[in-house]
Amino acid sequence: MSEPAATPRRGRGRPGYDQATVLRRAIDLFNRKGFDGTSMGDLAEELGLSKSALYYHVPSKTHLLAQALDEALDELTVVIQQAQDEATGTAYERLRSVVRQSVEVLIAHQPAVTLLLRVRGNSEVELAALRRRRGLDTQLAGMVRAAEAEGTVRRDLPPDLVSRLLFGMVNSLVEWYRSEGEVHASVVSNAITTIVFDGLDVRPA
Amino acid sequence: MSEPAATPRRGRGRPGYDQATVLRRAIDLFNRKGFDGTSMGDLAEELGLSKSALYYHVPSKTHLLAQALDEALDELTVVIQQAQDEATGTAYERLRSVVRQSVEVLIAHQPAVTLLLRVRGNSEVELAALRRRRGLDTQLAGMVRAAEAEGTVRRDLPPDLVSRLLFGMVNSLVEWYRSEGEVHASVVSNAITTIVFDGLDVRPA
DNA sequence: GTCTATATCCTGATAGAC
DNA sequence: GTCTATCAGGATATAGAC
């Protein structure tokens, strides 16, 4: 449990790695090759270290995963909590808002969220993350239900199904969106809300 | 390359396993624990066999993966090819049709398609599958573009983005849909086409 | 902070008896 | 068709020198 400096050393001396950098590179590798498909040797090589030097910076492979999943879950929790706390406005407006903000979080924290969405429950850490995630999904479904009950969203589709499909579309972002690419986050979140709420059909304005 | 019977033996004698059964159980396990997270020992245990007995039925772990990915890709290829060959009707109708039929294939071959959608390119087999899949995605994007060009689908959104989001929603089915569940395939495909083409907003009919 | 060396276990796959 | 036994390599993680 000895703590290496959390802030990168400036100037003279060997650079070393702060925990945040190791975590970031680890998440990237996990996403490229899968968590189980990535060995600590792979990660050490990626960082230009030996395996044992890597273990100086990080207690275990599992710990890296847990940190990443926590990052994603914490961010999503905040977004959903904020949306539910909005006393003003309609359920419809809260739903639109949470969709938009979910897209922003997915993009801002894309690597960590990608990892979260791929977790299968192979360990206690993964199971805990799945439980937390299920709670968030339930809250999102509740927001869709509220909008239907309010009558501002079509009532001929089961709200749980709508929720799954809607956030399935949102979550599919992680499969292709890259922040270095040419598509801005606002373009994506606008496209999603336009498709989902207005539909693709052309119709008189 | 000795061939075990492809059809299950009826009556007397030990049952053995035909290749199709082994493949089906393998795919299920791969989806529950991830391909890399599943060992041949796990699969043998699931089948109630020793590892070496399993290797009598199957040449390698990679071969199981290749067969599963081929199943998924073959089915998707047929659907997309059929949709493109429809000379009659508008591009809009072809697009609606390919969405509906993609949902049917995803549901009918859910385990194999799930595996396909999770492939990361960790081996030559996975890379080949990704290449084939990219070709299909390109064809789907072309169908969205055609509908936009035709003017039957809104033109204020980039067609490649629309395609990614639309089929992102479709593909997200594999994350939760179970054929044993209460939701029928037609309900799902109807919900998707309704959301995507008509939108969730309530509006005058 | 990084290294070499090592412990221990698990992996995919094979040999050969029954 | 299934088994026990085995192999070579790779996995996570640790010990201890520098």
Side-chain angles (χ1 to χ4, degrees):
Chain A
M1 291 292 173
S2 65
E3 297 288 79
T7 47
R9 215 163 276 74
R10 331 152 222 205
R12 74 193 62 250
R14 271 192 280 185
Y17 285 98
D18 59 292
Q19 294 169 327
T21 301
V22 173
L23 178 58
R24 208 163 28 85
R25 303 285 286 272
I27 294 174
D28 279 350
L29 250 191
F30 293 161
N31 284 332
R32 284 213 302 277
K33 313 181 47 151
F35 178 72
D36 290 315
T38 305
S39 73
M40 291 298 267
D42 292 336
L43 177 54
E45 194 175 359
E46 169 95 356
L47 291 165
L49 285 175
S50 67
K51 266 194 294 179
S52 9
L54 171 57
Y55 272 100
Y56 172 82
H57 297 283
V58 131
S60 73
K61 193 185 176 189
T62 302
H63 185 74
L64 285 169
L65 179 61
Q67 282 182 97
L69 297 180
D70 278 343
E71 175 191 331
L73 286 162
D74 288 348
E75 294 290 337
L76 291 169
T77 301
V78 167
V79 161
I80 294 172
Q81 200 53 54
Q82 281 179 349
Q84 282 184 324
D85 289 350
E86 284 175 27
T88 69
T90 60
Y92 177 81
E93 282 160 354
R94 280 193 289 278
L95 180 59
R96 273 192 94 114
S97 155
V98 82
V99 169
R100 178 157 254 118
Q101 287 188 274
S102 295
V103 172
E104 304 288 343
V105 167
L106 246 74
I107 285 178
H109 299 264
Q110 196 253 12
V113 176
T114 302
L115 209 51
L116 173 66
L117 294 177
R118 289 187 186 151
V119 149
R120 316 254 32 102
N122 280 353
S123 63
E124 202 38 63
V125 165
E126 296 193 7
L127 287 170
L130 283 181
R131 281 191 292 271
R132 248 186 104 181
R133 196 193 147 191
R134 211 167 301 130
L136 297 178
D137 287 343
T138 303
Q139 294 185 69
L140 291 171
M143 296 182 71
V144 173
R145 200 184 340 272
E148 281 204 21
E150 187 184 70
T152 43
V153 147
R154 59 186 317 140
R155 304 173 89 145
D156 54 350
L157 298 175
D160 283 15
L161 178 54
V162 169
S163 177
R164 283 190 150 123
L165 294 173
L166 167 50
F167 291 100
M169 178 182 277
V170 171
N171 290 342
S172 74
L173 281 182
V174 302
E175 295 298 326
W176 59 269
Y177 190 88
R178 296 295 171 266
S179 48
E180 320 86 46
E182 68 279 12
V183 188
H184 195 273
S186 63
V187 173
V188 174
S189 95
N190 178 61
I192 291 181
T193 49
T194 300
I195 295 174
V196 168
F197 291 102
D198 300 333
L200 286 174
D201 273 16
V202 283
R203 76 183 82 240
Chain B
M1 291 293 172
S2 65
E3 297 287 79
T7 49
R9 215 163 278 73
R10 328 148 227 210
R12 75 193 60 252
R14 270 191 281 186
Y17 285 98
D18 59 292
Q19 294 170 325
T21 302
V22 173
L23 179 57
R24 207 162 28 86
R25 304 283 287 272
I27 294 175
D28 279 350
L29 249 191
F30 293 162
N31 283 333
R32 284 213 302 277
K33 313 178 47 149
F35 178 73
D36 289 315
T38 305
S39 72
M40 291 300 266
D42 293 335
L43 177 54
E45 194 175 358
E46 171 94 355
L47 291 165
L49 286 174
S50 67
K51 258 197 301 177
S52 9
L54 171 57
Y55 272 100
Y56 172 82
H57 296 283
V58 131
S60 73
K61 192 186 177 189
T62 301
H63 185 72
L64 284 169
L65 179 62
Q67 281 182 97
L69 298 180
D70 278 343
E71 175 191 334
L73 286 163
D74 288 348
E75 294 291 336
L76 291 169
T77 301
V78 166
V79 161
I80 293 172
Q81 199 53 55
Q82 280 179 350
Q84 282 184 325
D85 288 351
E86 285 174 27
T88 68
T90 60
Y92 177 81
E93 283 160 353
R94 280 193 289 279
L95 180 59
R96 273 191 94 112
S97 156
V98 81
V99 168
R100 179 157 252 118
Q101 288 189 273
S102 294
V103 172
E104 304 289 344
V105 167
L106 246 75
I107 284 177
H109 300 264
Q110 197 252 12
V113 176
T114 302
L115 209 51
L116 173 66
L117 293 177
R118 289 187 186 152
V119 148
R120 318 256 24 108
N122 279 353
S123 63
E124 201 38 63
V125 165
E126 296 194 6
L127 287 169
L130 283 181
R131 280 191 293 271
R132 248 185 105 181
R133 198 193 146 191
R134 210 166 301 131
L136 297 177
D137 286 343
T138 303
Q139 293 183 69
L140 292 171
M143 296 182 72
V144 173
R145 199 184 340 273
E148 281 204 22
E150 189 184 67
T152 44
V153 146
R154 58 187 315 141
R155 303 174 89 146
D156 54 348
L157 298 175
D160 283 16
L161 179 54
V162 169
S163 176
R164 285 189 149 124
L165 294 173
L166 167 50
F167 292 100
M169 178 182 278
V170 171
N171 290 342
S172 74
L173 282 184
V174 302
E175 295 297 326
W176 59 270
Y177 189 88
R178 295 295 171 266
S179 46
E180 320 88 44
E182 70 279 11
V183 187
H184 193 274
S186 63
V187 173
V188 174
S189 95
N190 178 61
I192 292 181
T193 49
T194 301
I195 294 173
V196 168
F197 291 102
D198 301 334
L200 287 174
D201 273 16
V202 284
R203 75 181 84 241

